[in-house]
Amino acid sequence: MLAEIGRILALWSYVEQQFDLLVLSEVAFEGVSSGKIDDRIAKVMKQPIATKMKDIRKVLSRGNSKRGLSVSMVEATFQRMLTLKDVRDMLAHGRLNFSISSDNLIAPDRLAVLHMRFDSPKNILNPVSVEIDLESLRKTSADLDLLYWEFFDLSMGTKPFEKGSASSGVRGSRLTPAIS
C-alpha cells in the first residue's frame, strides 16, 4: 500500500509539472517575446493552483491562447485536477494509521488516514478521517496517469479525449478519485 501511495505522490509531481508548463506558456509568458524570467513571472508561478487556473481561464476567455485553447477545453481537466489534488494532499500531509477490522485485528488491506485541513479564509480546523484500500489507491493512480495525458493533450492544443488525442488512447479508468 505504501508503494501505491508513493506512486500517487510521484504521479502528482508529473501532473503538476505539466500544469505549470501550461501556466508558463499561456499566462506567465503572455505578451512576452523572450523567455526572460522576471518578478511578474515568478509571482505567477508561486500562486496556488486554483489561482493559476483562474489566470489561465482569463487568458483563454480573451482568446489569447498560444495553442488555440478555450475555457471549455480545459474546464473538465481542471475540475479533475482539483479533485485529485485533495486526495494527494490527504495522502501527502495526512497521518497514516492501521485500520482495525471488525474482529479487532489489523486489517492487512486497508489504512486509516487522518488529515487536518484548515478551511480558508477563517482557518477553521476541519479534520478528515477516511479508510482507504489498495484497490482505491490503484484507481487513483490510474486517474492521475490519465490526468497527465490530458495536460499533454492541452499542451499540444488538443481537447482531451477527442479522437486521436493521447488521453483517448489511455482512457479506460474511472475519472473520479476512488478516495474521497
Side-chain angles (χ1 to χ4, degrees):
M1 288 192 69
L2 295 178
E4 199 63 42
I5 291 171
R7 186 173 295 111
I8 289 169
L9 299 180
L11 282 167
W12 177 260
S13 295
Y14 287 113
V15 166
E16 194 167 13
Q17 182 182 38
Q18 285 286 71
F19 173 72
D20 282 343
L21 289 172
L22 186 65
V23 173
L24 273 172
S25 66
E26 297 292 344
V27 178
F29 292 131
E30 181 189 25
V32 176
S33 59
S34 73
K36 181 182 174 198
I37 304 294
D38 59 15
D39 291 339
R40 181 187 69 81
I41 293 170
K43 181 182 174 192
V44 167
M45 297 311 294
K46 289 179 184 176
Q47 295 176 336
I49 288 174
T51 305
K52 290 178 188 176
M53 287 179 177
K54 189 174 8 173
D55 291 346
I56 290 175
R57 287 182 189 107
K58 283 181 194 174
V59 170
L60 299 183
S61 65
R62 290 193 300 259
N64 292 347
S65 173
K66 294 179 176 87
R67 293 177 172 81
L69 301 175
S70 66
V71 174
S72 64
M73 287 174 74
V74 301
E75 198 56 44
T77 300
F78 284 2
Q79 293 309 311
R80 275 189 287 285
M81 184 180 187
L82 289 174
T83 302
L84 289 166
K85 180 187 180 306
D86 287 343
V87 174
R88 178 262 177 208
D89 288 350
M90 180 184 61
L91 293 173
H93 304 294
R95 166 82 184 212
L96 301 174
N97 298 299
F98 295 112
S99 178
I100 306 297
S101 66
S102 59
D103 54 359
N104 290 329
L105 297 174
I106 294 174
D109 60 343
R110 289 192 323 265
L111 287 174
V113 181
L114 176 64
H115 182 216
M116 304 301 274
R117 294 183 181 172
F118 287 94
D119 288 337
S120 297
K122 297 178 182 177
N123 284 333
I124 299 170
L125 190 59
N126 179 21
V128 176
S129 180
V130 296
E131 286 203 0
I132 56 173
D133 63 10
L134 184 57
E135 187 58 32
S136 64
L137 290 173
R138 287 181 177 151
K139 288 177 181 173
T140 300
S141 290
D143 291 344
L144 279 166
D145 184 48
L146 187 58
L147 186 61
Y148 171 86
W149 289 107
E150 288 180 62
F151 278 111
F152 176 83
D153 287 338
L154 292 173
S155 72
M156 300 303 290
T158 306
K159 184 175 182 178
F161 307 117
E162 276 191 348
K163 185 177 179 181
S165 67
S167 57
S168 70
V170 296
R171 190 176 202 171
S173 67
R174 290 174 13 150
L175 292 178
T176 56
I179 305 169
S180 56

